[in-house]
Amino acid sequence: MEEIRKKRIFSGIQPTNTPHLGNYFGSMINWVKMQEEYDCAYSIVDLHSITVRQDPARLRRQISESYALLIAMGIDPEKSIVFVQGHNPAHAQLSWILSCYTQFGELSRMTQFKDKSQKHADNINGGLFTYPVLMAADILLYQADVVPVGIDQKQHLELTRNIAERFNNLYGETFTVPEPYIVKSTQKIASLADPTKKMSKSDENPNATVTVLDDRDTIMRKFKRAVTDSGSEVRRGEGKEGIENLMSVYGAVTEKTFDEIEKEFEGKGYGDFKAAVGEAVADSLLPMQERFRQIISDKSYLEKCMKEGAERAYAASRRTLQKVSKRVGFIVL
Ligand code: TYM
């Protein structure tokens, strides 16, 4: 009997800082849910992170912590492939090949490249420019059908699709053309200090982000200080981006709709609402934080998971790399 192939999911996160609520509610919470139905591969993308300067000791620690966090969040390393990108050399190999099928003009149009080169004007390196090609390689290596991400990665996904289609047109069906999976209400969680900006790991204002490892007091304090408008009603509307952002977070935790939230807080002010969001977030993160502390202190377990993840990632991607190598005319031994 022919085996029905489950759809493949791929996604990744940079280990540059502790994941924040944008990463968690915008993307990672879906990674956990998708494990039930799909064949999933999730990666800590260390290669991507050195496009901006990192302190080596800190980066090493962040890679382990990010990996442990994925497991603590509920990603099961027995079920899903959980691995560190640099542990599978196929990513860098395919990235080189795909870079020869990606145009300079396409990469120049990437808004993330433009933003980051403004921010790091003294270090506009080649890696920053070809970053989206490596991302395409990550996804295409595993023949991913669906890629759960926040809206900020949509343009990179479109480029990935273009590269895949271009290659398929030249050489015949080689890559699955992936679809982004973006949940509208949490596609862009905003900074708590400036609701017009996305919550970002590189934000220098500590009040702008809540990380998934922040303790209850810190979470409560940051939500209390969250920038909102001068009104008092908890509802969406013109000029109420700050409140709408908090509603998105509250909705993600409680699985309530915007309408339900508006009803729940009718007649109550911003102070009550901010405290409720803080409480709900702190409660929902607590079990993960406890599991995280256990996992991160068990070095041998972590190392074992990383090794197995690396082997499984390599096994899952080998065939694609061989196929691509043959198609372009290399000798495959
Ligand atoms: P990264 O590490 O910046 O973010 C990880 C995930 O979190 C999402 N995200 C957000 N979602 C909602 N609101 C926000 N404020 C917010 N900030 C971040 C991101 O969209 C992402 O889904 N290039 C990627 C990592 C990557 C990748 C891949 C992703 C490398 N290869 C292949 C998918 C597939 C990145 O820097 O994500």
Side-chain angles (χ1 to χ4, degrees), residues 166-224:
R166 183 172 306 147
F167 198 95
N168 288 349
N169 286 338
L170 282 166
Y171 299 104
E173 284 304 305
T174 309
F175 295 121
T176 304
V177 180
E179 297 283 344
Y181 177 87
I182 298 173
V183 176
K184 188 125 200 306
S185 58
T186 49
Q187 64 181 9
K188 183 181 170 190
I189 300 292
S191 148
L192 297 188
D194 178 356
T196 62
K197 279 190 357 197
K198 75 166 179 178
M199 191 177 279
S200 159
K201 282 196 216 110
S202 55
D203 205 314
E204 273 155 22
N205 179 353
N207 291 322
T209 56
V210 170
T211 83
V212 297
L213 291 178
D214 280 350
D215 61 31
R216 182 176 294 269
D217 288 349
T218 310
I219 295 174
M220 294 304 290
R221 181 168 38 83
K222 288 181 180 175
F223 275 107
K224 269 187 199 147

Side-chain angles (χ1 to χ4, degrees), residues 5-10 30-42 76 79-81 144-148 181 312:
R5 177 181 169 267
K6 273 193 190 172
K7 282 200 172 176
R8 170 53 63 87
I9 305 294
F10 182 92
N30 300 317
W31 302 9
V32 179
K33 291 180 190 158
M34 287 171 137
Q35 290 182 109
E36 299 307 318
E37 218 182 304
Y38 303 101
D39 244 341
C40 301
Y42 298 123
D76 178 353
K79 200 185 266 178
S80 302
I81 303 177
D145 299 278
V146 183
V147 183
Y181 177 87
R312 287 176 65 199

Side-chain angles (χ1 to χ4, degrees), residues 5 19 29 63 82 108 119 167 169 180 188 225 253 269 315 333:
R5 177 181 169 267
I29 205 164
I63 294 169
V82 190
S108 317
K119 242 193 204 157
F167 198 95
N169 286 338
K188 183 181 170 190
R225 287 196 189 156
V253 181
L333 296 177

Side-chain angles (χ1 to χ4, degrees), residues 87-141:
H87 291 167
N88 180 5
H91 290 249
Q93 282 175 279
L94 183 63
S95 178
W96 170 254
I97 298 175
L98 295 182
S99 71
C100 302
Y101 297 83
T102 310
Q103 297 304 304
F104 180 87
E106 289 180 297
L107 292 174
S108 317
R109 283 194 291 277
M110 295 292 119
T111 51
Q112 198 149 314
F113 169 68
K114 290 191 236 170
D115 290 350
K116 285 210 175 161
S117 36
Q118 254 181 11
K119 242 193 204 157
H120 305 277
D122 56 339
N123 184 21
I124 308 178
N125 58 69
L128 201 60
F129 190 63
T130 55
Y131 179 113
V133 183
L134 178 58
M135 189 164 152
D138 297 342
I139 297 166
L140 300 179
L141 258 184

Side-chain angles (χ1 to χ4, degrees), residues 87-90 93 142 309-319 321:
H87 291 167
N88 180 5
Q93 282 175 279
Y142 299 89
E311 280 162 19
R312 287 176 65 199
Y314 182 66
S317 59
R318 220 177 111 245
R319 269 187 52 204
L321 187 64

Side-chain angles (χ1 to χ4, degrees), residues 284-299:
S284 82
L285 295 179
L286 198 62
M288 176 205 308
Q289 295 176 341
E290 278 167 6
R291 277 197 299 274
F292 170 76
R293 276 191 287 275
Q294 281 167 6
I295 298 165
I296 198 69
S297 63
D298 192 346
K299 296 280 172 260

Side-chain angles (χ1 to χ4, degrees), residues 137-166:
D138 297 342
I139 297 166
L140 300 179
L141 258 184
Y142 299 89
Q143 304 288 354
D145 299 278
V146 183
V147 183
V149 283
I151 196 81
D152 60 338
Q153 297 301 321
K154 191 165 180 241
Q155 195 186 29
H156 291 160
L157 251 294
E158 275 157 14
L159 178 70
T160 301
R161 289 170 58 85
N162 290 342
I163 297 172
E165 278 165 0
R166 183 172 306 147

